[in-house]
Amino acid sequence: MTPIPVGVRIWIASGHTDMRRGMRGLALQVQQGLGRDPFAGDIYIFRGRSGSLIKALWHDGLGLSLYAKRLDRGRFIWPQTVEGAVSLTPGQMGYLLEGLQEYPLW
């Protein structure tokens, strides 16, 4: 993933997401499910049901990017809220992407 500019907000979509979705499907989920604009420059992170795969959607001003990461073992830590989005700091996102289990994100 390219370096994230200062001021970019990071959101994780609570719950689980159908990981068969690509850019368009996830952008539609941001619009309809979260009520946000996927082209505004924020990063949206989604997790599959098994918890070992996440996808990040980000419009960097030039185009929409989709990043994916699958853990070989373990699961990504995820908030227990029912629906909506939870804000992360860049540091918390770094811990999340590293798959660290002992760091409290929320």
Side-chain angles (χ1 to χ4, degrees):
M1 194 164 173
T2 59
I4 301 168
V6 174
V8 171
R9 293 178 295 183
I10 304 163
W11 303 94
I12 58 174
S14 58
H16 64 272
T17 300
D18 181 351
M19 297 312 273
R20 296 174 292 181
R21 291 183 177 195
M23 280 187 209
R24 290 182 181 176
L26 292 174
L28 188 62
Q29 184 172 338
V30 169
Q31 286 178 323
Q32 294 180 346
L34 303 177
R36 299 174 188 268
D37 181 5
F39 306 104
D42 293 347
I43 297 173
Y44 296 94
I45 304 173
F46 305 89
R47 188 183 84 156
R49 184 180 298 272
S50 72
S52 63
L53 175 65
I54 60 172
K55 289 185 177 181
L57 186 71
W58 179 35
H59 193 282
D60 63 1
L62 299 174
L64 197 58
S65 298
L66 181 63
Y67 301 92
K69 181 163 185 172
R70 181 181 308 274
L71 294 176
D72 292 332
R73 59 185 178 278
R75 298 167 53 126
F76 289 101
I77 299 172
W78 220 242
Q80 298 300 317
T81 58
V82 177
E83 59 182 67
V86 176
S87 177
L88 291 181
T89 67
Q92 288 173 318
M93 182 176 153
Y95 282 109
L96 176 70
L97 293 177
E98 291 297 321
L100 298 178
Q101 299 296 319
E102 57 275 348
Y103 183 76
L105 293 173
W106 23 86

